[in-house]
Structure formats: C-alpha cells, structure tokens
Amino acid sequence: MRVLGIETSCDETAAAVVTEEGDVLSDVVRSQVALHAPYGGVVPEVAARDHARAVVPVVREALARAGVAAADLDGVAVTSRPGLAGALLVGLQTAKGLAWAAGKPLVGVDHLVGHLLAVFLRRDGAPAPEERPAFPYVALLASGGHTAIYRVDGPSLGAIRELGATRDDAAGEAFDKVAKLLGLGYPGGPVVDRLAAEGDAAAAAEAVPAVMARKESLEFSFSGIKSAVARHVAKRGRPEGQALNDLCAAFQGAVVDALVQKTVRAARSEGVERVVLAGGVAANRGLRAKMAAACARRGLALFVPPFASCTDNGAMIAYAGALRLAAGERDTLDLAPETRTALPRVTRKGGGAR
Ligand code: KG4
Ligand code: ZN
C-alpha cells in the first residue's frame, strides 16, 4: 500500500508517500520558520496563507520523488486535528480534491497520533524491523504545541491513553518564550540547546528554581520556570557570554529533569518496559542524554526516532493514515478541521503545577 500524507496543522507544509510497513518513499517538508521569525511566534493567518501557496508544489514534489502518480496511490491521508483551523483547512481541502479527482479513499489523521507512531517510520531501510518498539510503550510527546505522556497499546485512537500533560505551556513553547526573553530569536529550542552545552547549570541555579512538582503526579508545568527567567532578566538585564550559557543550561536542565523524571515514573507505574520520544523537543541533546541514562538505570529500552521523524512531517501522517486504511477505515468528503485532539485528556489546563 502506498499512501500520500499531507500535513499543514501549524508552520510546516509537508507531504510524503509511505507504505503501510512504514517505508518512507518520499518526505518533503517546507518550513515557514523564516516567515514567522520576525513576530517571535507563529501567526495563524500568515501560516494559512503560506500553506495555500505551498501545498500543491509540495504535494507534487512528494509524488515525483516517490516516483508515483496520484493514480498509483492507495489512499490520501491528511492531518484533520489538532491545529490552527485555517492552516488545517488548506491541507484538508487539498487532500479532498486529490482523493475525489483520483478516486482514492480519504482518511483524516490526528496529528498527535502521527507523532506517537513516527518511531515506526523507516528511512532508507533503517531501523530494522526488530529495532522498532513492540506495543505497549510509554511515549513522551514534547513539541511546540503539545507536551504529554501517553501509554500506547496499539496504533488506533482507542488504544492510546494520556497519562498526564502540561497544565500550561508546552515544553517547546517554554524554550521559545525563554529564547525570546534572552534575545535569541525564534524558534528557541535549537539555540538554547547549543548554548546550554557550553554552560554550567549550577552557576545559574539561583535564577531557575527546581520545578516544584508533586512527586507522584504525571502532569507538567513550565510557566513558573519561564517567569523565573523573566524576573531574573528584569532584575539583572540580559546576560551575555558565559553567564548566558549558564542560564540556558539551568533552564534546559530544569525542563529536561521534569520530562525525564515523569516519563520514567510513568513507565514504571504502568509496568511498561519501552519508552519512545516524539516531537520537536526530542531533538534536544540534553533530553536525549538524560533520558538515555535514566532508562538505562531502570532497565527500560529507549527508542529515539531520527530528527526528521520527531519534528512535524508528512510521513508520520501518511503512516498513521495507512494503518487506518489497512483497518478498513475511511472518511467522507465532509471531514472537517478540529482544533482539539481526539485523544481523551486527563489533565485540565490552567491549574498550575501539581
Ligand atoms: O514538533 P515540532 O516541529 O512542531 C510542533 O508540533 O510544535 O516542534 C517544534 C518545537 C519548537 O518549540 C522548538 O523550539 C522545539 O520544538 N525544538 C527544540 C529543539 N529543536 C526544536 N527544543 C529544544 N531543543 C531542541 N534542540
Ligand atoms: Zn507536531
């Protein structure tokens, strides 16, 4: 089965052709980062308009690189939720038009399910089938829009359960806001990651209090860390040189410690031996290193997809859609965008740290 996946939920216009085994035949991602950078974050209307300009060329390129015509496809998958309504609409209308014109089945995909299954994607034959996780696994999904821990018992919506999520900012959002405070530009994750590697977290410990978290809770809160950095900058001014590196290291360390501790706790309390990382923040070197060490200590197997599978892409949407098609599921041309995920949520937003 060869399925086209289209992703336009946020600030990447992406399309890919993937088989139901997860083999990536093509994967085209066109980022809007430069377009939103002057505003310090994603502007929804700017995103939607740029998707409208880019989506047809991106889809054409994905088909061309895979060497398939629309007529050769077994279906069209598209992110239908969660995301920016106007941005989602562009991908949805494109997918519907293509599916209708080519007479192919259409399936909507929940973007979060795409992220949670991205670990199965095979690029140039890697990883080998036996290097991919078996179900169940516990997944940490940390991106610019979402941060939550899930138990994944299978690929369908009903087999995925949220164990805890952030009550305020997403982890990537915290990186982006702190980078903005420090004058480091957008997006903030990669640059904070780079500076943190040269810094000493202990030297800036007083600026970033440890995240006060109830030990047994699987919920996150990152707004307090961001506010602490804001107060520090208001009082002392923007640090430079080594002091800037130290502050980045302290901030990143606090965020990473919370992500690692709660993910490991979730795996242990669920009695699950496999841990999977997903989302753009999974690119963070500090997170990868600390999660690897913590999992090794507890005898947990850690699966970290390559960077291209962690950040937003069309391949994860095509794969999740291929599994829906293989299960005999279809959507109609009435499929509409939804701003919220279809996955049941246990964490209420806006409640502060627990
Ligand atoms: O998954 P993604 O590409 O898009 C969303 O669905 O949000 O994630 C983007 C987020 C941004 O907030 C970015 O700052 C963060 O991932 N990010 C990182 C790193 N690379 C990207 N955060 C920390 N360290 C990184 N190396
Ligand atoms: Zn995403």
Side-chain angles (χ1 to χ4, degrees):
M1 203 190 272
R2 285 175 296 186
V3 175
L4 171 72
I6 301 177
E7 153 65 40
T8 63
S9 68
C10 189
D11 61 345
E12 268 89 26
T13 315
V17 180
V18 176
T19 70
E20 88 253 48
E21 279 84 38
D23 287 306
V24 179
L25 305 183
S26 68
D27 185 22
V28 180
V29 181
R30 182 181 176 283
S31 171
Q32 298 180 352
V33 158
L35 206 58
H36 299 291
Y39 306 99
V42 178
V43 183
E45 191 58 26
V46 171
R49 284 168 194 233
D50 195 60
H51 285 310
R53 276 190 289 271
V55 70
V56 170
V58 165
V59 166
R60 281 216 177 100
E61 194 175 337
L63 291 172
R65 284 197 204 168
V68 301
D72 305 325
L73 294 171
D74 295 284
V76 180
V78 59
T79 305
S80 61
R81 63 193 306 171
L84 306 168
L88 288 167
L89 198 55
V90 174
L92 266 166
Q93 297 307 90
T94 307
K96 287 183 196 177
L98 193 64
W100 179 79
K104 304 295 177 185
L106 171 78
V107 276
V109 170
D110 190 296
H111 182 86
L112 303 189
V113 175
H115 272 302
L116 293 173
L117 299 179
V119 68
F120 294 107
L121 293 174
R122 286 159 41 113
R123 298 173 184 274
D124 300 319
E130 64 276 13
E131 290 165 5
R132 302 193 294 187
F135 296 112
Y137 54 82
V138 160
L140 170 68
L141 169 49
S143 73
H146 307 276
T147 294
I149 301 172
Y150 296 90
R151 177 186 169 114
V152 183
D153 283 282
S156 66
L157 269 173
I160 302 174
R161 189 154 55 85
E162 184 194 294
L163 301 173
T166 180
R167 297 176 72 87
D168 41 61
D169 293 347
E173 191 180 356
F175 271 94
D176 294 339
K177 286 179 176 173
V178 162
K180 195 171 177 181
L181 279 168
L182 297 174
L184 299 175
Y186 172 84
V191 49
V192 171
D193 189 359
R194 185 163 46 77
L195 298 179
E198 309 293 322
D200 173 12
E206 92 291 350
V208 183
V211 196
M212 295 301 289
R214 245 187 29 212
K215 264 225 144 89
E216 70 276 19
S217 166
L218 295 178
E219 298 180 345
F220 300 102
S221 171
F222 296 115
S223 68
I225 313 179
K226 173 205 62 194
S227 303
V229 174
R231 282 194 299 273
H232 181 79
V233 170
K235 208 159 58 187
R236 309 263 194 93
R238 276 182 189 166
E240 286 174 13
Q242 192 55 40
L244 175 62
N245 298 346
D246 294 344
L247 186 57
C248 287
F251 162 74
Q252 177 173 300
V255 172
V256 164
D257 283 347
L259 294 172
V260 170
Q261 282 167 18
K262 296 196 177 218
T263 304
V264 168
R265 188 177 308 142
R268 288 173 54 106
S269 68
E270 291 293 316
V272 166
E273 291 153 6
R274 289 166 290 271
V275 172
V276 167
L277 292 188
V281 181
N284 187 269
R285 286 175 291 166
L287 174 63
R288 286 175 178 238
K290 277 194 186 163
M291 191 71 88
C295 286
R297 261 199 314 277
R298 313 281 186 158
L300 301 167
L302 176 65
F303 299 84
V304 186
F307 186 55
S309 296
C310 289
T311 51
D312 284 352
N313 63 85
M316 68 186 193
I317 303 304
Y319 177 64
L323 296 186
R324 283 201 63 198
L325 287 166
E329 297 173 29
R330 305 276 185 275
D331 283 309
T332 67
L333 295 179
D334 293 333
L335 184 64
E338 301 280 348
T339 55
R340 291 169 175 256
T341 179
L343 293 171
R345 290 185 294 186
V346 297
T347 298
R348 271 187 308 120
K349 284 237 173 183
R354 282 225 298 173

